[in-house]
């Protein structure tokens, strides 16, 4: 490094210039040399962001004698003594970032997607109905009605209700009833859309939308089932009996509400709810849970499909329930 810097600086000086003599007239010779060097030494282009080269070029332009016939010191790199506080390179804080990196990075934090959906009057229920979810959904419904009581509200549902997908209870039945009661108090038109699964109380919310505005995606599933008794733990028998009676009461309320919104009789709903009752989009439409399947260009194909009961009859297959 030292030899390269020495060679580069020597190349800046005229080859015909004699060595600088430090005699009694050294001050006059130095001044004449400086004028001559400033007139003849070409200054190469430098990077203005490099403090070392900038300082070195400044010294070469103002006092070239400081760069000539310098003593050799193996312990100190050359030309570093011209700095007040020698440093080999700039500190990280002084290094300018290249614009080629991260130039497309946003200057502001990423958007809050639930807030963007809410701005479009969309409420998304994508989790089981636990207290935190119920609190958020009810607050969003109240806010959208306050914002504009005439514009419709769109509810997208992909929830297992108050249970998990394996049937374990994660929330009280009152969580589903709280959202349902909030829907019934709204002045807005409510559009409900099932985009994955609507199980238990989530199926009730799907059917509670405005008539004619209840939809399902083609491959979504709906399922209605009886409420489940929460884990009783070490409760005494009398407390378990009290909980069982409460579950039966919730079941009767759920059956009545489903019968009201699907147009079926209470007996019909109670009969199918003895065991988990799964429905695809077409079956849910037939049962009255929804009004329309959101197909895109496939209505003609589905219309030509023979219903399962008719297919079994034509194939000579008898249902196990009729055997």
């Amino acid at each position: 490094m030292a030899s390269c810097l020495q060679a580069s600086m020597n190349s800046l000086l005229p080859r015909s210039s004699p060595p600088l003599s430090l005699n009694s007239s050294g001050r006059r010779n130095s001044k004449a040399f400086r004028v001559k060097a400033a007139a003849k030494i070409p200054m190469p282009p430098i990077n203005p962001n490099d403090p070392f080269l900038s300082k070195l070029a400044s010294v070469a332009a103002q006092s070239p004698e400081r760069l000539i016939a310098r003593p050799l010191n193996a312990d100190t790199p050359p030309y570093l003594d011209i700095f007040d506080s020698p440093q080999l390179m700039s500190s990280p804080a002084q290094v300018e970032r290249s614009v080629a990196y991260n130039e497309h990075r946003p200057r502001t934090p990423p958007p809050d997607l639930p807030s963007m959906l809410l701005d479009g009057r969309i409420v998304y229920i994508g989790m089981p109905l636990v207290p935190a979810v119920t609190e958020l959904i009810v607050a969003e419904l109240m806010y959208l009605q306050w914002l504009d009581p005439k514009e419709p509200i769109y509810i997208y549902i992909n929830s297992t209700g108050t249970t998990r997908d394996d049937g374990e209870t994660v929330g009280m039945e009152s969580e589903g009833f709280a959202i349902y009661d909030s829907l019934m108090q709204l002045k807005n038109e409510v559009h409900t859309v099932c985009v994955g699964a609507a199980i238990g109380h989530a199926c009730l919310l799907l059917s509670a939308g405005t008539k004619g505005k209840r939809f399902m995606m083609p491959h979504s599933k709906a399922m209605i089932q009886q409420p489940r008794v929460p884990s009783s733990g070490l409760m005494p028998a009398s407390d378990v009996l009290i909980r069982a009676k409460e579950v039966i009461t919730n079941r009767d309320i759920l059956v009545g509400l489903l019968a009201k919104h699907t147009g079926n009789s209470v007996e019909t709903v109670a009969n199918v709810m003895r065991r988990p009752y799964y429905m695809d989009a077409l079956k849910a439409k037939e049962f009255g849970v929804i009004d329309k399947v959101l197909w895109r260009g496939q209505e003609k194909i589905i219309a030509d499909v023979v219903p399962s009961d008719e297919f079994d009859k034509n194939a000579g297959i008898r249902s196990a329930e009729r055997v």
Side-chain angles (χ1 to χ4, degrees), residues 48-53 83 87-96:
N49 296 325
D50 193 320
F52 179 79
L53 293 181
F83 291 92
Q87 53 184 0
L88 294 177
M89 62 182 298
S90 302
S91 63
Q94 296 174 340
V95 177
E96 183 180 0

Side-chain angles (χ1 to χ4, degrees), residues 58-77:
S58 176
V59 172
Q62 297 177 7
S63 303
E65 66 275 4
R66 296 180 59 184
L67 306 178
I68 301 175
R70 300 178 60 80
L72 297 178
N73 188 353
D75 297 333
T76 304

Side-chain angles (χ1 to χ4, degrees), residues 7-310:
S8 62
M9 296 310 302
N10 289 339
S11 64
L12 298 176
L13 302 177
R15 300 187 181 277
S16 59
S17 300
L20 182 66
S21 59
L22 300 176
N23 49 19
S24 59
S25 60
R27 184 176 301 175
R28 183 175 68 253
N29 294 339
S30 175
K31 181 178 181 180
F33 178 84
R34 185 162 57 248
V35 173
K36 184 177 179 181
K40 293 185 178 181
I41 296 178
M43 296 302 298
I46 62 173
N47 182 5
N49 296 325
D50 193 320
F52 179 79
L53 293 181
S54 299
K55 181 68 175 179
L56 203 61
S58 176
V59 172
Q62 297 177 7
S63 303
E65 66 275 4
R66 296 180 59 184
L67 306 178
I68 301 175
R70 300 178 60 80
L72 297 178
N73 188 353
D75 297 333
T76 304
Y79 304 112
L80 289 184
D81 57 335
I82 64 177
F83 291 92
D84 296 333
S85 56
Q87 53 184 0
L88 294 177
M89 62 182 298
S90 302
S91 63
Q94 296 174 340
V95 177
E96 183 180 0
R97 296 180 181 269
S98 172
V99 296
Y101 298 101
N102 298 329
E103 60 183 7
H104 300 295
R105 185 175 57 185
R107 303 298 181 187
T108 57
D112 180 16
L113 294 182
S115 297
M116 295 181 65
L117 292 176
L118 187 63
D119 185 64
R121 305 187 66 81
I122 296 175
V123 177
Y124 179 57
I125 306 177
M127 296 180 63
L129 302 181
V130 296
V133 175
T134 302
E135 176 186 1
L136 177 62
I137 299 304
V138 172
E140 289 182 345
L141 294 175
M142 295 170 59
Y143 170 75
L144 291 177
Q145 179 182 235
W146 170 83
L147 197 63
D148 192 339
K150 297 182 180 180
E151 287 293 322
I153 298 175
Y154 305 90
I155 301 180
Y156 286 74
I157 301 173
N158 182 22
S159 173
T160 56
T162 56
T163 62
R164 295 193 312 193
D165 53 355
D166 59 357
E168 181 180 351
T169 302
V170 294
M172 298 180 63
E173 303 299 323
S174 59
E175 307 297 337
F177 291 138
I179 300 178
Y180 172 82
D181 290 339
S182 300
L183 287 177
M184 295 298 101
Q185 296 297 323
L186 294 176
K187 301 177 183 178
N188 308 72
E189 189 177 74
V190 178
H191 299 207
T192 55
V193 183
C194 179
V195 294
I199 297 176
H201 273 270
C203 187
L204 172 63
L205 300 179
L206 175 63
S207 65
T210 304
K211 291 289 185 178
K213 305 296 181 181
R214 304 172 301 175
F215 310 98
M216 281 185 72
M217 293 296 183
H219 303 99
S220 299
K221 294 290 183 180
M223 189 264 279
I224 53 178
Q225 61 182 352
Q226 296 190 37
R228 298 176 180 270
V229 179
S231 177
S232 58
L234 300 178
M235 289 184 179
S238 58
D239 291 356
V240 173
L241 180 60
I242 292 174
R243 284 203 171 190
K245 290 180 178 179
E246 179 64 20
V247 170
I248 293 175
T249 301
N250 291 332
R251 181 200 63 185
D252 295 340
I253 295 175
L254 183 60
V255 168
L257 294 177
L258 285 172
K260 170 185 174 182
H261 292 287
T262 60
N264 296 296
S265 63
V266 174
E267 292 76 14
T268 300
V269 177
N271 184 47
V272 298
M273 279 184 59
R274 290 179 180 177
R275 303 298 299 168
Y277 185 66
Y278 286 89
M279 297 171 282
D280 57 14
L282 296 179
K283 200 169 185 179
K285 180 181 178 182
E286 179 183 351
F287 193 76
V289 175
I290 63 170
D291 303 301
K292 185 178 179 181
V293 182
L294 294 179
W295 296 100
R296 290 180 60 90
Q298 302 183 36
E299 293 87 351
K300 180 65 169 60
I301 299 177
I302 296 301
D304 295 338
V305 175
V306 179
S308 58
D309 295 340
E310 184 178 348

